[in-house]
Amino acid sequence: MKKHVHDNELVRKLNLIATRMRKKIIEMLYRAKSGHPGGCLSAIDAIVALYFHHMRHDPKNPKDSNRDRFILSKGHAAPALYAVLAECGYFDKKELLRLREINSILQGHPANTLTPGVEVSTGSLGQGLSFAVGVALAGKLDKKDYRVYVLIGDGEAEEGQIWEAAASASHYRLDNLIAMLDRNRLQIDGTTEEIYGLEPIVERWESFGWNVLEIDGHDMKQILDALDKACSFKNGKPTMIIMNTIKGKGVSFMENNLKFHGIAPNEEEYKMAMKELEELERKLEGKK
Amino acid sequence: MKKINPRDVYGETLVKLGEQNPNIVVLDADLSKSTKTYKFGERFPDRFFNMGIAEANMVSVAAGLASCGKIVFASTFAVFVPGKTYDQIRMSVAYSNMNVKLFCTHAGINVGKDGFSHQMIEDIALMRVLPNMKVFAPSDPYQAGRVAELMAEHYGPMYARVSREPMYQIYERDVLEEMEIGKSIKVREGDDITLLAHGLMLHECILAARDLEKRGISAEVIDIWSIKPLNENEIIKSVRKTGRVITVEEHSIIGGAGSAVAELIAEKGINAKFKRMGIMDVFSESGDPRDLFEKYGISKEHIVKNSMEMCSD
Ligand SMILES: Cc1ncc(C[n+]2csc(CCOP(=O)(O)OP(=O)(O)O)c2C)c(N)n1
Ligand SMILES: [Mg+2]
């Protein structure tokens, strides 16, 4: 396991990448004229931390049997994953601008048969954690030391299958499985608490036999530390990292705005968003 | 003729496959004693996972294991997989093109006394519409084992259904060894009418053909155990010859193998008399399997009657 001191320089570098990814996401959705900005922007910091620092993976060898796996269970955040995969070199960045177009390798939701680096097709919520359980079981069977990371939406965790998977992961003592919950408190029709009620979320996961960490999901250092901590547990339990996030994070008018769950920015919104993100980018680059 | 339980053969075949290939992994959902996967579990406890009464999770877990190079057999009653897990099969297995083998038992109304809740008559329709998915319904107990072998040998998502009831042994070993995915087996040659069936209904057709012979009607009987892909050539050849075809299955008349055959002969423009026999878009009920076959119109007697009618004008 990697033991890292997550110094300021690393954090700045990753924050810069995340900002550039946010720009990519906005651009992709603007061009595609559809997609889900809110859930991409709340999840992107975690995905950047995984791919640009924490996970063991090789874009030139995407099927390497020893790779760490990342599974995007909340498939509607596909553009966030695509932006990162392209940046890592899994496929040509030009493909990003063909998101959701006919004959594109980038479907509206992840499709493993079309996109290098995508582990499984998702988009129907609730299945990714179960798939991750299967991958983690295989790792145990084959005595491999890879880890399995899976990102779940908080609304998604209303699905019964998530809890079937949660129970099976602890039953089979899958300490090679690390789930991350994008706790942005919003789903489509409203807040998670008015629609379904997910609290007490920490206790729920603990009672299913998981280690639970709770962090600020936009604080890069906290994300990196939590991932390392999740890898350090030696108690045979899977780990859930509850990431308190903001839906639409990084674009002021999208933040906590239900409207931007599943609507792409129009031209004016696109320009405003890019301006904000470019300012942030310059700041992180250390330029004026 | 001997009657043997296809589930027993399935369980034993899994053990054999497990011995040959360390990548075979088996999942069940608290019905391993009925599906007979427990035999594999006893022999290879490390590679057997009882996933509990949580079928949706089981199917997606199977996909995850398959993504790591495992050949995954997942078994339970056909009402639960695919019944409860269509979306998981659709996304995690078929669309993701994972090497998952859904081998399900207790398909059809022969389940008997448990009633409709446990009698799966829509599974072929559900699985047949999924791209990448192959669909099999063996008609002989040892054929069930052979189907499991073929499933293990070939990559891709596959679904097989077998009955709860024991089956008559129809085939000799050499016939089974020649089986290939997408091939059918001509069980009996005939000129007047083509009977196409799978599962327990194949034996009913064989009995019906014997009766029909006494009445001067020569029936060709073909085992369409491979429903998808279907052996189009053999079916077309036979129907062109006889000009009459009846499909018989323990499945709804909507969407099953009968529908697949209807699609085929209609699209090929074959001019033939055609009838689907199966469950007539109604809910079945509890009862003795033989009584159910009789009441729901798929027993040998019904096949004879329908064939006579078709051949009479
Ligand atoms: C099984 C299923 N039901 C419904 C949907 C439609 N849907 C897409 S996103 C979404 C809300 C998801 O909320 P959450 O998991 O909180 O995602 P986030 O807030 O991170 O975007 C819904 C209901 C779906 N994709 N899958
Ligand atoms: Mg949410």
Side-chain angles (χ1 to χ4, degrees):
Chain A
M1 206 223 29
K2 292 167 279 188
K3 264 264 183 295
H4 283 287
V5 186
H6 301 128
D7 60 31
N8 292 342
E9 179 50 25
L10 173 68
V11 167
R12 185 195 67 87
K13 199 189 87 191
L14 293 176
N15 278 330
L16 179 58
I17 296 173
T19 304
R20 289 178 178 153
M21 295 300 100
R22 285 190 162 89
K23 279 172 58 190
K24 260 294 172 238
I25 291 164
I26 295 295
E27 190 186 351
M28 288 162 77
L29 296 186
Y30 171 62
R31 289 208 177 216
K33 293 190 170 52
S34 68
H36 301 80
C40 287
L41 297 173
S42 61
I44 189 66
D45 293 312
I47 301 175
V48 165
L50 286 167
Y51 277 88
F52 290 94
H53 183 72
H54 183 82
M55 283 203 313
R56 179 175 74 199
H57 69 113
D58 178 6
K60 283 183 203 68
N61 193 4
K63 295 275 177 204
D64 178 6
S65 62
N66 292 312
R67 71 192 182 280
D68 286 341
R69 271 75 163 177
F70 173 70
I71 291 137
L72 184 66
S73 195
K74 43 169 273 187
H76 58 282
L81 177 60
Y82 297 159
V84 166
L85 289 176
E87 189 68 24
C88 290
Y90 281 89
F91 50 82
D92 194 325
K93 285 185 203 168
K94 283 197 297 240
E95 299 288 345
L96 294 178
L97 302 180
R98 307 227 317 108
L99 170 71
R100 290 176 169 245
E101 276 180 20
I102 195 162
N103 298 324
S104 168
I105 65 163
L106 301 183
Q107 297 297 294
H109 294 78
N112 65 309
T113 55
L114 295 172
T115 313
V118 170
E119 298 287 348
V120 64
S121 302
T122 51
S124 175
L125 295 168
Q127 299 185 25
L129 185 59
S130 301
F131 181 87
V133 167
V135 177
L137 270 178
K140 293 284 178 193
L141 258 182
D142 294 339
K143 303 202 168 31
K144 289 194 182 287
D145 67 352
Y146 63 73
R147 287 201 167 79
V148 190
Y149 300 87
V150 53
L151 184 67
I152 303 165
D154 52 358
E156 180 181 15
E158 291 159 15
E159 283 285 353
Q161 189 181 353
I162 291 288
W163 299 97
E164 294 182 9
S168 65
S170 56
H171 177 75
Y172 283 107
R173 303 182 63 79
L174 300 179
D175 53 7
N176 52 350
L177 174 64
I178 296 163
M180 308 173 88
L181 190 89
D182 189 350
R183 185 72 174 115
N184 58 28
R185 297 187 171 264
L186 292 180
Q187 47 195 101
I188 291 183
D189 283 347
T191 69
T192 55
E193 295 322 287
E194 53 186 39
I195 304 283
Y196 203 75
L198 294 171
E199 296 294 345
I201 205 161
V202 172
E203 289 81 354
R204 279 192 187 183
W205 284 93
E206 278 173 351
S207 73
F208 270 71
W210 287 57
N211 302 311
V212 182
L213 304 172
E214 194 176 1
I215 60 165
D216 175 345
H218 299 305
D219 182 324
M220 195 55 82
K221 183 158 163 39
Q222 285 192 35
I223 299 172
L224 297 172
D225 288 347
L227 286 169
D228 273 4
K229 177 133 195 236
C231 294
S232 72
F233 286 118
K234 295 270 178 297
N235 57 8
K237 293 180 178 185
T239 297
M240 164 56 83
I241 303 174
I242 308 230
M243 305 190 299
N244 290 308
T245 54
I246 294 169
K247 202 154 173 168
K249 171 73 180 177
V251 176
S252 60
F253 58 90
M254 290 187 176
E255 289 189 1
N256 284 319
N257 186 347
L258 267 186
K259 175 183 153 195
F260 286 102
H261 168 80
I263 290 184
N266 62 26
E267 189 176 348
E268 187 190 342
E269 289 160 344
Y270 165 71
K271 284 181 180 153
M272 272 159 46
M274 292 304 266
K275 193 161 156 259
E276 284 185 20
L277 291 168
E278 274 157 15
E279 263 166 37
L280 182 60
E281 186 182 14
R282 275 197 298 277
K283 221 159 82 190
L284 288 163
E285 281 169 340
K287 294 179 197 154
K288 263 282 169 101
Chain B
M1 270 200 294
K2 275 193 298 186
K3 255 187 169 179
I4 294 148
N5 201 313
R7 292 177 280 143
D8 282 318
V9 181
Y10 169 56
E12 285 149 21
T13 305
L14 283 180
V15 172
K16 206 172 70 187
L17 290 169
E19 279 161 0
Q20 292 162 358
N21 189 339
N23 279 324
I24 303 271
V25 171
V26 178
L27 309 181
D28 204 298
D30 199 37
L31 285 168
S32 66
K33 299 213 172 65
S34 299
T35 63
K36 309 299 179 190
T37 59
Y38 79 90
K39 295 180 196 220
F40 184 93
E42 282 176 0
R43 180 77 176 74
F44 303 106
D46 293 350
R47 288 191 265 151
F48 176 77
F49 301 99
N50 199 321
M51 300 309 296
I53 313 164
E55 294 81 9
N57 186 50
M58 175 172 79
V59 170
S60 303
V61 167
L65 281 156
S67 79
C68 301
K70 305 297 171 198
I71 302 168
V72 190
F73 280 83
S75 291
T76 178
F77 292 176
V79 272
F80 307 130
V81 169
K84 276 197 77 166
T85 62
Y86 185 72
D87 184 38
Q88 285 74 20
I89 299 171
R90 181 178 185 271
M91 289 300 300
S92 307
V93 178
Y95 185 40
S96 298
N97 198 26
M98 294 295 175
N99 203 13
V100 172
K101 318 300 175 181
L102 305 167
F103 197 109
C104 297
T105 69
H106 295 60
I109 59 175
N110 71 83
V111 163
K113 310 248 176 192
D114 274 346
F116 177 77
S117 67
H118 284 59
Q119 298 167 352
M120 183 33 128
I121 54 172
E122 317 97 65
D123 53 336
I124 295 170
L126 287 170
M127 293 297 95
R128 200 165 73 82
V129 291
L130 287 173
N132 283 343
M133 184 63 73
K134 295 185 166 61
V135 181
F136 310 124
S139 314
D140 157 297
Y142 294 108
Q143 190 184 26
R146 185 72 189 112
V147 164
E149 285 173 9
L150 288 170
M151 289 168 92
E153 279 164 27
H154 293 86
Y155 185 89
M158 299 180 195
Y159 172 69
R161 53 128 68 176
V162 294
S163 58
R164 173 181 189 273
E165 282 289 286
M167 290 172 154
Y168 285 104
Q169 185 184 349
I170 295 169
Y171 300 120
E172 297 300 328
R173 204 195 199 94
D174 55 327
V175 178
L176 298 182
E177 272 163 13
E178 281 171 22
M179 272 171 58
E180 280 173 47
I181 289 173
K183 290 280 149 63
S184 49
I185 303 177
K186 193 188 284 180
V187 184
R188 195 188 160 101
E189 293 261 4
D191 298 316
D192 300 328
I193 186 166
T194 302
L195 301 177
L196 302 174
H198 57 78
L200 288 172
M201 291 301 115
L202 182 70
H203 188 252
E204 297 294 313
C205 286
I206 294 170
L207 296 179
R210 285 186 200 147
D211 264 29
L212 288 166
E213 192 171 25
K214 289 180 202 139
R215 297 165 201 236
I217 293 171
S218 156
E220 182 144 294
V221 179
I222 299 175
D223 176 4
I224 49 169
W225 66 274
S226 178
I227 296 168
K228 187 188 171 194
L230 198 61
N231 190 348
E232 300 192 350
N233 288 339
E234 179 156 49
I235 293 171
I236 290 167
K237 225 170 82 190
S238 179
V239 178
R240 282 225 163 96
K241 173 174 71 174
T242 62
R244 299 181 186 93
V245 57
I246 296 182
T247 60
V248 196
E249 60 189 329
E250 258 192 278
H251 188 276
S252 169
I253 54 155
I254 300 172
S259 296
V261 171
E263 290 154 16
L264 174 69
I265 61 177
E267 281 197 341
K268 298 287 173 184
I270 298 172
N271 192 4
K273 288 190 180 163
F274 174 76
K275 183 170 182 63
R276 291 166 301 164
M277 291 177 66
I279 316 304
M280 302 299 288
D281 196 21
V282 292
F283 293 109
S284 46
E285 65 187 79
S286 289
D288 181 77
R290 289 254 38 112
D291 294 342
L292 290 172
F293 290 173
E294 191 50 44
K295 176 165 178 181
Y296 289 89
I298 52 174
S299 67
K300 176 200 86 173
E301 288 73 23
H302 289 279
I303 302 168
V304 170
K305 188 169 144 277
N306 284 328
S307 303
M308 302 258 298
E309 262 175 42
M310 196 180 265
C311 291
S312 71
D313 39 48

